Every structure is written in C-alpha cells, then in structure tokens.
Amino acid sequence: AAPPLYDVVVSGGGMVGSAMAAALGHDVHFHDKKIALLEAGARKEYDRMPESFSNRVSSISPGSATLLSSFGAWDHVCSLRLKPFRRMQVWDACSEAMIVFEKDDLDDMGYIVENDVIMSALTKQLDAVADRVEVFYGSRAVGYTWPLPSHSCDTSPWVQIELADGRRLQTKLLIGADGHNSVVRKEAEIKNLEHRYDQSAVVATLHLSEATDNNVAWQRFLPTGPIALLPLSDTVSSLVWSTSHDHALELLTMDEESFVDSINSAFWSNANHTDFIDSAGAMFRSAISLLKPSGTGVRQLPPSVARVDPESRAMFPLGMGHATEYVQHRVALIGDAAHRVHPLAGQGVNLGFGDIACLAHHLRAAAFNGSDLGSLKHLLKFETERQRHNVSFITAIDVLKRLYSTKLAPLVLLRTWGLQATNALPPIKVRI
Amino acid sequence: LFRLTMKRLSSTSHSSVDSKEMKKFQLLAHKWWDEEGEYSALHSMNDIRVPFIRDTLLNMGRNYHLGNPLSGVKILDVGCGGGLLSEPLARLGASVTGIDPLEDNIRTADQHKSFDPVLDKRIEYKSCSLEEIVEESMETFDVIVASEVVEHVADLEMFINCCSQVLKPGGSLFITTINKTQLSYVLGVVVAEKIIGIVPEGTHEWEKFVPPEELERLLESNGFSVKTVNGMLYNPLSGSWSWMENTSINYAMHAVKLAAREQPSPTDELSEMESKKHSATAGAAE
C-alpha cells in the first residue's frame, strides 16, 4: 500500500513549526485537508507552569501576537504569564549616546514571554484541531525523496519522507521548520550563507534589588557584545548577554555573587568612556537640541540586580545564516531554517512568525483557488515577499553587531552620532 | 500582411467534433502538465477562470463551506484536455466529469489524477464527444464549463443545444473563447503562435473564432440567458491573465439555462403583436 498522503507536512515542532501547523489547522480553507507535524522530541506536558521562570525567553512583537491570536493561542499565553514592555532603552558603553523606543500612545511595544509558555499555548491549540493536524512525536525524518517538477511518467509526484523508525509519509508540500541546521534545507541542496560569530549568549534568570514597574527592556552595547535585561515580572528579569566564548564560559562558572557583580558593572560602569568621545557626543547633543528642542529623550536608569536563580545559567553559541532560496518545487523553509540572526535585536522568532503569516496567506489563497499546494507559483510569491523583508533586516542586524564590537574612536563616534541622530528623528524610529 | 485564410468548414458529419482539430492536439497530448511548456498560458488562465466560476456559483446563493466551496456541485468539463481545469474544480469539492474526444488526452488526464485519491474519487474522465453522452445525461449537470473549446467545434449551434440538454434547468454554462476581430487575429494568432510562440502553431483558425455577440445570440435562442461577459487579457511578459472591459481578444461568458416556464413561447409573440394593435386602435379612438 502506498504511504499515507498528506496535503502539508511541517518538519520541526519548535515554536515556528508548531505555530505553522496550528495556523493551517485552524484555517477554514484547510478544513478538509490533512496536515502532519514531525517533531523529533517527546511530547512535553505543559499543564502547569513551574513557579520559577525559565531561562529561555523571547521578545514577541505586536505583529507576532496578532498572528498567535488569529488561531487562539495568544489567549492561552495571556492566561499563563507574560510581561508587556512599553519602552526600550539602548545605549553604548563607550559614550553617552542612547536611543529610546517608545510608542506615543502608551501601547505595549512588545511582550517578553518564556518559550515554554508559547509552546504550551501552541500545543493546546494543536490538540484542539487533532482531527486535521496529526502530530508525530519522537519522529525524526532521515530521508527525503524529491519528485521531478513535471512528471509525466509513473513516478509519484509527491515528496517522500522516511522516518527513523522506518515509517513513510508522502506530502504535496513539505515545510521545513527544523532550525538553523535544517535537514530539509540540506537535503533540498539549498545553499546557505552562514557565519559563526565568535560569540556565545549567556542566559539567566535574575532577581532585582527592588520591585519596580519593570516595563522597560534594557540593552547596553559593550565592546565584547550587547547585554540585555528583559522584564519578566516586577521583580524578575531575564538576562541575555552576548560575549566572547571565553568570557561566556567564565560567567557560567564563576560563583553567583561575582556573576551578579559582573552584570551590575556591565550596566553601570563608565570605564569605557573617553573624554574625547564624551565631549564630541555632548557637542552633537547640543547641536541637535538647537534644531529639535525636545532633545534626545529622558535617560532612565536600569535596575540593579540582587541575585541570580541557581541552575538558571546557560550558554549557547551564536551565528548568522541566510538560505539563498526559501522555496523549491513542493518545499518551503520558514524560521531559523531560512534565516538565523544575532539576538541583539530580539527579533529571531518574530521573523519566523512573520514567515508563517505570509506563507499561510498564500497557501489559503491557493487552496481557495483549487491549486496544487506544492506549486512553485504561489511559493515564489511567499519567497519574494519574505526575502525582501528579511534580507535588509538581517543585514542591518549583522552590521550593527560588527559596528558595536569595537572601541576604536572613529567607529564609536560614528555610532554615537548615528544613535543620537536616530533617537532624535521620529521617522526612522517609527520604522524600527 | 493581413490575409484572411478562407477555409471551408467541413460540417458534413453530425458531430461537433472536428477531426482536423483533433489531429492538432494529438501531437501535444503528453505536454499538458508541464507548467512551463506549451500549455503554460492555459495553466495560468486558471488564476482567473477558477475564481470566476467559483465566485459566480457562490454568489448564486447556495449554502457553502469555505473549506469545500463547490461540494455537491456536478460539473461537466467539455474538451477537458489533460484535466487542467477539472482538477482545481474537483479540489474545491465538485464532482467533475471531464470529456474529450481525444483518447490520448483522457489517458494523460487519468494518469495525472490517479496519484491523488481525493481527485481520483471526484473526477471521472471519458473519451467521447458531447453528443455521445447526451442520451444518458439528460439534465444531469449543475454546471458546464467549455473553456477554450468553442473555437474548435465544427457545429456551434448543435454544441450549444447539447449543452442545454445535459444541463439542469437553472444550471450554469461557462465559456471562455476568442473573439473574431482584427486584433484577435494579430495578437491571438500571429503574435501568440508565430512570433512569441506562447500557443503551439496552428492551434487556432481565425475563421472559427466566435464574436461574443454571435455567441450571445446563439445562446439566447437556445434557452439560455446570458448573465456576464468579461474581456480577458494575457500578458506574455508576466505570463499572467487579467480581466478587462474590452472583449476584442479573449473573453469569458456566463449563461444560465432558463427553467421551463421562463422559456419564450410562440404564443407570446402573437399576443405581443395583438396588444400593439390594441394600443394603436386605442390611440386612434381618442
């Protein structure tokens, strides 16, 4: 007997893969379609969230929140826990320059949500459409067989998938959401431009010295890399500190008190300032205030950290990647499989959710037109739209990363003035 | 350069099928499903003709589910070729019967749908002409689609008549075809076939193109009411179709078969004349 035929198979059950499967499963145009989600790990039960916060969190943009609420997952997130933030303060360790992002209407700029909370919400919504979306846990795809673009003979026109346990599936469209080391991308022989940064990110859950509104996300660019404090509650924040591999290892192994001291020093110390830069910066600031009296915004002081959650320290290496093609006949890549970025802008998962919104839009139009779901015609539209959006964004993040990785005066001056100018100019800030 | 090719139509057979036409398509029977090949323009025509059919039917007030909008609709695809239009209609939920006089076309169509169990169940292909199924399919279908077909038939009036017989009263007939104008000769034949080559050479004979006015006249005198006529335009650079007001080149038509009591009967004409006489004498009496 022929292996079971699905309309769509999503490979990879992380946040992006699960959201893709859930989005299609809840779409009325996919009511009669068969969807499968392949996840190598075991099913995790998320019935109750532990008291302590997880150390892996994501900054969810309002656009991503809209996508998640389109299939009922955002409600679950809200009923579990999340922290909205209203303001983002980003500043340099080598100068006084800073930029503040704030929405005029006092709306939420974004939300800090633990990845486990997002997965719990997605799992619930997948369960709700279990008759349409079949989730295969503990299933790793080990081989793919690609069909010829225009078959006219006896070979199957579908993608053949072989699982580790020998089971086989067929699908009209394969969506690769299997992360930056995507097997789908490799097997489809899609070239990937990648680069390993000589940096690792250290994450931890921190307790603040005193309770505060804690609705500001803080990021300071140190010469070794950016350090960010993301609010989780009035007393707890999440740390994401990108730094050299050696320093990261040091941070991981030092005792808790020293760790806390390093963090506070990173945020408060002015050791990297030079007189030259300071006066040049001050000069520029007064020049701007002549043109734009409202000036460069109020500088708030970041909170100080009292202690770190034991066992919450972890590190992972950082890199950047971009697939030269997002689609092929009967294949589409989304999330980190298509593009991998530095966490400095907190946008990694948002780019993935943006991919989902775009791909789902084109797939539902194709379904409503009776088209073959794996046809390149609409897949190329998805690719064009997302590459246009992603490439400039990813390049900008990479440039920022390199620009801020130095103490050299000319570059510091450049970014100081650049940051101050950007802070003073509303149009650019709104675009970001 | 402008030369009319005068060809006599051989309509001695009692059939709407033209054997010369069949020979043209024989050679390309296996090329149907190459989306970038000879039939690429027909593939991209689905982008406008499927929504046209779908939305017209949905707007006729039936209950439907967005996941399966044409569920329960019985469609006859006349001159289905390799099944390019039958498959999307079936994916939308319809039960489709696709007929084509060329056996090789039906073979290609059957083979292509066989890999998809849903399509396999919903579509039935038959190698035959329209007349051959009339007897067994009286008033059977909700919808007939004759897309890029009427410019190839030998006897258009008989073709329309057969359509009427197999269509349920109130059923819809969708036709897409090419107008008979100087413009359609230049663009539809000379440019399309001989210069750019987006249509296989020799596919179309300008003499057999049907102007929308003539098609409308034939339909209305055979029990149909024409509801919509829309011009279609092909952009060879983008390979895509769009709608336009002007019907000089390609056009689409939607007609509905009138239910029995709506048919204009001979007695109506008489009574019309009588009432005219009546009002004339009434006027004179004033």
Side-chain angles (χ1 to χ4, degrees), chain A residues 195-200 224 243-246 318-319 401 405:
Chain A
H195 175 80
R196 270 197 212 111
Y197 292 128
D198 48 9
Q199 284 187 345
S200 283
T224 45
T243 183
S244 68
H245 297 306
D246 292 335
L318 299 176
K401 187 253 167 217
S405 297

Side-chain angles (χ1 to χ4, degrees), chain A residues 55-78:
Chain A
N55 61 5
R56 295 306 306 270
V57 307
S58 296
S59 167
I60 302 296
S61 67
S64 297
T66 304
L67 170 74
L68 292 173
S69 54
S70 74
F71 53 86
W74 191 244
D75 284 338
H76 295 314
V77 171
C78 294

